[in-house]
Amino acid sequence: MTTAVSNTAFPPTSPLSEAERDRILAAVDAAFERQIGFLSDLVRCASLRGQEAEVQEFVEAALLERGYDVSRQSIDPTLFGRHPAFSPATISYDKTWNVLADHKPVATQGRSLILNAHVDIVPTGDPQRWQDPPFTPTRHGEWLYGRGSGDMKAGLSAAIFALDAIRAAGLELTAPVQIQSVVEEEITGNGAAMALASGHVADAVLIPEPTDEKLVRANSGVIKFAITIHGTPAHPREVSSGASALEAAMRLIARLRELETRWNAERATKPFFDEVDNPAALTIGTINGGEWIASVPSSCRFEGRIGFYPGDDPQDRVKEFEAFVASVAAEDALVQRCPAPIVEWVGVMHAGYTLTPGSEAEAVLAEAHASIHEPDNAPLEAYVMACYLDAAVYAVHAGIPSLVYGPIAENIHAIDERVSLLSLRRVTKTIALFAASWCGVRPAR
Amino acid sequence: MTTAVSNTAFPPTSPLSEAERDRILAAVDAAFERQIGFLSDLVRCASLRGQEAEVQEFVEAALLERGYDVSRQSIDPTLFGRHPAFSPATISYDKTWNVLADHKPVATQGRSLILNAHVDIVPTGDPQRWQDPPFTPTRHGEWLYGRGSGDMKAGLSAAIFALDAIRAAGLELTAPVQIQSVVEEEITGNGAAMALASGHVADAVLIPEPTDEKLVRANSGVIKFAITIHGTPAHPREVSSGASALEAAMRLIARLRELETRWNAERATKPFFDEVDNPAALTIGTINGGEWIASVPSSCRFEGRIGFYPGDDPQDRVKEFEAFVASVAAEDALVQRCPAPIVEWVGVMHAGYTLTPGSEAEAVLAEAHASIHEPDNAPLEAYVMACYLDAAVYAVHAGIPSLVYGPIAENIHAIDERVSLLSLRRVTKTIALFAASWCGVRPAR
């Protein structure tokens, strides 16, 4: 479901002149091949979880070159469980860090802005199934292929090159702007949590996730779990003396679909979610069980995630989930014969957010979007995204209007991920106009 | 189901004198603590598949010390697919070999014998779940605990110490006897297949698997498979665009239960199997799928085995199995959306066997068994074992009467595997009397 966003309620506070606007857009066009090259370099870095150092060093160098005040920010594990933005983590953060780049105007007018993008990517699956190698960015027509091209290295390139274009147009933003190149969005959100917990706030946040040039009106809360079941191994000649941990896991997964159905049914009363298909979306992402082809498996572990609604406390959903698992263990004849399933929380445990309609930030973005989509002047549409987004950190814990808006991409988290370069160019222009209007501009010194 | 074996039809051909019998039994008793020590040394060797070298070197030394003509026998992979006793293999056999030890009498009278035992063991599962470490043999009362203690290192010790006792009694067996310490029983049967394919045959085979002092009347044919399903990965926010390989695997496993039910139903017409519970026994031993907690899994692989009946050609069952998987792929709405499941054959692909009642070998064993179970003189019982046994190699491909008979053990392939030492002593005596009666004895030179 998408709804039209009003772009008339709040006129931009620092109207750009026609000439300034034209110079900015021309600058995006002029730099666009370089932007594709930059994006390709980002895609070449296989920035899987825990392996973000290479891409972050590259981004850091690019931001230093542009004259930003750049710093590295480590994730402080002592904050886990103490600051509500953090989710449980299962890895060491010794070799992973955020890169923060500040533009500080001499004299501040206008409104401050955070442009946030994550650099971590998800695994590729079998590379043989890709038409081109997943870390070899490849252009076919208007599409650039590669893992992370859409989610969300294109967005990071848009943020950086949008600000470049403003400078290339002879303008300086008159409010503080921070570019945040963060880690850990795909598993915990702890990169964004660290940026927020260390005091980085602004009057608005824009995150150019791949949203098909739409605005995210709301997202889901998400909790990520791992469940381990121990069975009783046995020889195939006496199966009934054992209890297969795999069979027990299959029973539990099947029963968890009931919980998904129950949580999905709640959407009828949830603003913005009533027409969302599968807002709770239980997915089982991994399973590993057994150690021997001809034994009844003695243990099985599976990991997954399930969603819920903005306004729900994730801790309440955690309790409900754990109680449900315990009830299956008490009721199911096979699961009953195994020790109690062990539930671990191994990733995002975060509330969803709603972008309340009517904010000035949204109006300024809608204006920028519409002006780029001339001559049809298509209005900005909003929709619900039933997954975790780092925007939730800023919206839930700091009340910052958080705009998730980015290019058209396909097959994210899948085979042959790709981003539309035509769309990326439009989005880069939209972000440039939005930043210029939101923050205000003056002629560069 | 167990049935009494007649022990009167064929009187032993070389009746032992009462004094000879008493000397043999006394020799088993006298050496029994040493036998337990030997068995404990075997258990200390963690002879998992592909890691049998240590235990085989130990067995080889023990057999050389006893004066046997000992040789190592490598498995010849060029025979796979050419000799019907071999099953598909998935590992290199570079570091794994059989040990064969021959007793060759100066003048042969009586009937030749192969005493066969496998030294490979299955994995332990989580060692923390064992009351004692699985490779630290530990005695509690009449039980010796440890992985492989029952399946079937106790049996190997019984074979070796039974022949020791005959010699200690001042007797020499008058027919050729070969002790075969073979590898690969637990996964392919290719150790026994190699022994047979290289021409080692005899008038009878005895394999002291842990059978609770019963005789195996028949076993199942078994095929071991691996099935890989590729799905279509997707982001949780658009689950319906993907096809979860894990969900597809769960559907396929559930449907395979129908095949198991169908094959089980055939037992009504199968000699000896009509009262066997679950003779086809589909077990899924391992599963591995997905690579990322928050993606729809792009692939899932599971391994398992299924049984059938003596007389069935395993190739026919392979075809029926593959056709069934293909039919599920054609019918199931989810599996349909995935590329065709890939079925691989990764272990035993072998027919079952029946030990035809009434053989002389069985009668001699029954006599020995009954005499050891005085004063109640309990007759030897026979039963069906619904799993693969190396005896099938000798019975199916060489028509050799193959006696599977060994000690009481519990928790084989499971946690806290253990063998009864009281039973092991009885079985060692039974094997000694059987060998002496079957092969014949003369006073040692």
Side-chain angles (χ1 to χ4, degrees):
Chain A
M1 181 193 64
T2 58
T3 50
V5 169
S6 161
N7 57 18
T8 54
F10 298 90
T13 52
S14 310
L16 291 173
S17 72
E18 193 74 17
E20 287 168 340
R21 182 180 179 281
D22 290 347
R23 293 210 305 277
I24 290 172
L25 301 187
V28 170
D29 286 329
F32 194 65
E33 284 300 320
R34 269 192 290 122
Q35 183 178 342
I36 295 171
F38 178 84
L39 169 56
S40 300
D41 288 339
L42 294 180
V43 171
R44 268 181 208 102
C45 300
S47 49
L48 295 156
R49 186 187 195 198
Q51 302 169 41
E52 303 95 338
E54 181 190 12
V55 75
Q56 289 292 62
E57 284 168 1
F58 179 81
V59 171
E60 180 182 50
L63 294 167
L64 281 168
E65 190 182 285
R66 284 161 169 81
Y68 292 105
D69 187 357
V70 181
S71 60
R72 292 185 183 189
Q73 179 180 52
S74 297
I75 296 175
D76 177 359
T78 67
L79 294 172
F80 297 171
R82 290 172 49 222
H83 189 292
F86 287 92
S87 289
T90 55
I91 64 165
S92 156
Y93 289 133
D94 288 353
K95 291 178 184 165
T96 195
W97 63 86
N98 294 334
V99 171
L100 307 177
D102 285 294
H103 161 75
K104 292 170 183 162
V106 179
T108 295
Q109 296 169 315
R111 295 159 294 197
S112 62
L113 176 64
I114 289 171
L115 295 171
N116 168 295
H118 69 85
V119 290
D120 56 311
I121 57 169
V122 301
T124 61
D126 180 2
Q128 299 299 326
R129 298 179 68 190
W130 288 63
Q131 62 174 15
D132 302 298
F135 298 116
T136 303
T138 309
R139 203 165 161 176
H140 295 288
E142 71 149 315
W143 297 93
L144 185 78
Y145 287 75
R147 169 60 82 229
S149 59
D151 186 8
M152 62 170 290
K153 290 172 173 178
L156 178 57
S157 82
I160 294 172
F161 280 77
L163 300 195
D164 285 359
I166 292 168
R167 289 208 253 188
L171 300 169
E172 186 204 10
L173 293 166
T174 58
V177 179
Q178 183 172 72
I179 297 174
Q180 299 181 341
S181 177
V182 303
V183 295
E184 278 282 295
E185 194 267 352
E186 295 289 2
I187 187 84
T188 63
N190 285 341
M194 189 66 216
L196 178 72
S198 59
H200 296 286
V201 293
D203 294 319
V205 173
L206 187 144
I207 305 183
E209 288 270 10
T211 65
D212 298 342
E213 300 180 48
K214 297 174 192 167
L215 179 64
V216 174
R217 173 61 66 213
N219 82 333
S220 310
V222 173
I223 48 180
K224 288 180 181 166
F225 55 82
I227 299 183
T228 304
I229 299 186
H230 291 298
T232 305
H235 192 286
R237 83 183 199 215
E238 44 193 14
V239 172
S240 59
S241 76
S244 165
L246 165 57
E247 298 280 338
M250 285 173 55
R251 301 266 194 109
L252 182 51
I253 290 170
R255 292 290 309 276
L256 281 170
R257 293 277 164 225
E258 296 172 22
L259 188 70
E260 178 188 39
T261 300
R262 189 197 299 170
W263 289 12
N264 272 335
E266 295 177 25
R267 70 186 155 195
T269 63
K270 303 290 181 179
F272 307 113
F273 280 81
D274 51 322
E275 289 182 32
V276 174
D277 180 40
N278 201 14
L282 171 77
T283 58
I284 308 300
T286 71
I287 188 167
N288 292 284
E291 56 178 1
W292 186 248
I293 187 171
S295 285
V296 174
S298 65
S299 71
C300 190
R301 184 176 197 268
F302 58 93
E303 300 178 314
R305 56 83 83 191
I306 189 166
F308 44 92
Y309 304 92
D312 296 350
D313 184 335
Q315 293 297 337
D316 291 342
R317 293 296 182 167
V318 161
K319 283 184 202 130
E320 192 179 345
F321 186 94
E322 289 177 343
F324 185 84
V325 170
S327 73
V328 173
E331 290 162 19
D332 184 279
L334 175 62
V335 184
Q336 229 172 39
R337 287 173 52 210
C338 302
I342 300 159
V343 181
E344 296 166 279
W345 299 100
V346 295
V348 155
M349 184 185 288
H350 204 281
Y353 76 94
T354 300
L355 176 68
T356 308
S359 69
E360 283 193 61
E362 179 174 332
V364 174
L365 180 65
E367 167 78 22
H369 169 89
S371 78
I372 292 302
H373 286 76
E374 289 174 337
D376 46 325
N377 207 29
L380 178 60
E381 294 182 337
Y383 72 134
V384 171
M385 194 175 279
C387 67
Y388 170 80
L389 294 167
D390 271 347
V393 165
Y394 303 94
V396 171
H397 304 292
I400 303 173
S402 300
L403 308 169
V404 178
Y405 170 90
I408 296 168
E410 294 183 346
N411 306 329
I412 65 167
H413 290 219
I415 306 292
D416 291 333
E417 177 176 350
R418 64 183 190 171
V419 66
S420 161
L421 296 173
L422 292 175
S423 173
L424 177 59
R425 188 192 293 227
R426 287 192 296 269
V427 164
T428 306
K429 290 177 175 175
T430 299
I431 293 175
L433 295 184
F434 168 75
S437 298
W438 179 257
C439 301
V441 291
R442 67 165 72 88
R445 287 159 295 175
Chain B
M1 180 195 62
T2 58
T3 50
V5 170
S6 163
N7 58 18
T8 54
F10 298 90
T13 53
S14 311
L16 291 173
S17 73
E18 191 74 18
E20 286 168 341
R21 181 179 180 280
D22 289 348
R23 292 208 308 276
I24 290 172
L25 301 188
V28 170
D29 286 329
F32 195 64
E33 282 302 318
R34 269 193 289 123
Q35 183 179 343
I36 295 171
F38 178 84
L39 169 56
S40 299
D41 287 340
L42 295 180
V43 171
R44 269 182 208 101
C45 300
S47 50
L48 295 155
R49 187 188 195 197
Q51 302 169 41
E52 302 96 337
E54 181 190 13
V55 76
Q56 290 291 62
E57 284 168 2
F58 179 80
V59 170
E60 180 182 50
L63 293 168
L64 281 169
E65 191 183 286
R66 285 164 168 80
Y68 291 105
D69 187 357
V70 181
S71 60
R72 292 186 183 189
Q73 178 180 53
S74 297
I75 295 174
D76 177 0
T78 67
L79 294 172
F80 297 171
R82 291 173 47 224
H83 188 292
F86 287 93
S87 290
T90 55
I91 65 166
S92 156
Y93 289 133
D94 289 353
K95 292 178 182 162
T96 196
W97 63 85
N98 294 333
V99 172
L100 307 178
D102 285 295
H103 161 74
K104 292 173 184 164
V106 180
T108 295
Q109 298 168 312
R111 295 160 293 199
S112 62
L113 176 65
I114 288 170
L115 294 171
N116 169 293
H118 68 85
V119 291
D120 56 311
I121 56 169
V122 302
T124 61
D126 180 1
Q128 299 299 325
R129 297 178 69 189
W130 288 64
Q131 63 174 15
D132 303 296
F135 297 116
T136 302
T138 309
R139 201 165 163 176
H140 295 289
E142 70 150 313
W143 297 93
L144 185 78
Y145 287 76
R147 170 59 84 230
S149 60
D151 186 8
M152 61 170 290
K153 291 174 172 176
L156 178 56
S157 81
I160 294 172
F161 280 76
L163 299 196
D164 285 357
I166 292 169
R167 289 210 252 189
L171 301 170
E172 187 203 9
L173 293 165
T174 57
V177 178
Q178 183 172 71
I179 297 174
Q180 299 182 342
S181 177
V182 303
V183 296
E184 280 281 297
E185 193 269 352
E186 294 290 2
I187 187 83
T188 63
N190 285 340
M194 190 64 216
L196 178 72
S198 58
H200 295 287
V201 292
D203 295 318
V205 173
L206 187 144
I207 306 183
E209 288 270 10
T211 64
D212 298 344
E213 300 180 46
K214 296 175 194 166
L215 178 65
V216 174
R217 173 61 66 213
N219 81 334
S220 310
V222 173
I223 48 180
K224 288 180 179 166
F225 55 83
I227 299 183
T228 304
I229 299 187
H230 290 297
T232 305
H235 193 285
R237 83 184 200 215
E238 43 193 14
V239 172
S240 59
S241 76
S244 165
L246 166 57
E247 298 280 339
M250 284 174 55
R251 300 267 195 107
L252 183 50
I253 290 170
R255 292 290 309 278
L256 282 171
R257 293 276 164 227
E258 296 171 22
L259 188 70
E260 179 188 38
T261 302
R262 190 198 298 171
W263 289 11
N264 272 336
E266 295 176 25
R267 69 186 156 195
T269 64
K270 302 289 180 180
F272 306 114
F273 280 82
D274 52 322
E275 287 182 32
V276 173
D277 180 40
N278 201 15
L282 171 77
T283 58
I284 308 300
T286 72
I287 188 167
N288 292 285
E291 57 177 1
W292 187 249
I293 186 170
S295 285
V296 174
S298 64
S299 71
C300 190
R301 184 175 198 269
F302 58 93
E303 299 177 314
R305 55 84 81 192
I306 190 166
F308 44 92
Y309 305 91
D312 296 350
D313 183 337
Q315 294 297 337
D316 290 343
R317 294 295 183 168
V318 161
K319 283 184 203 130
E320 191 179 345
F321 187 95
E322 290 177 342
F324 185 84
V325 170
S327 74
V328 173
E331 291 162 19
D332 184 279
L334 176 60
V335 184
Q336 228 171 40
R337 288 173 50 211
C338 302
I342 300 159
V343 181
E344 296 166 280
W345 299 101
V346 295
V348 156
M349 184 186 287
H350 205 281
Y353 76 93
T354 300
L355 176 68
T356 308
S359 69
E360 282 193 61
E362 180 175 331
V364 173
L365 180 65
E367 167 79 20
H369 170 89
S371 78
I372 292 301
H373 287 75
E374 290 174 334
D376 45 325
N377 206 28
L380 178 60
E381 294 182 337
Y383 72 134
V384 171
M385 194 177 276
C387 67
Y388 169 80
L389 293 167
D390 272 346
V393 165
Y394 302 93
V396 170
H397 304 291
I400 303 174
S402 300
L403 308 169
V404 178
Y405 170 90
I408 296 169
E410 294 183 347
N411 306 328
I412 64 168
H413 291 220
I415 306 294
D416 292 334
E417 176 177 351
R418 64 181 189 172
V419 66
S420 162
L421 296 173
L422 293 176
S423 173
L424 177 59
R425 188 191 293 226
R426 286 192 297 268
V427 164
T428 305
K429 289 177 175 175
T430 299
I431 294 175
L433 295 185
F434 168 75
S437 299
W438 178 258
C439 302
V441 291
R442 69 166 69 91
R445 288 158 297 175

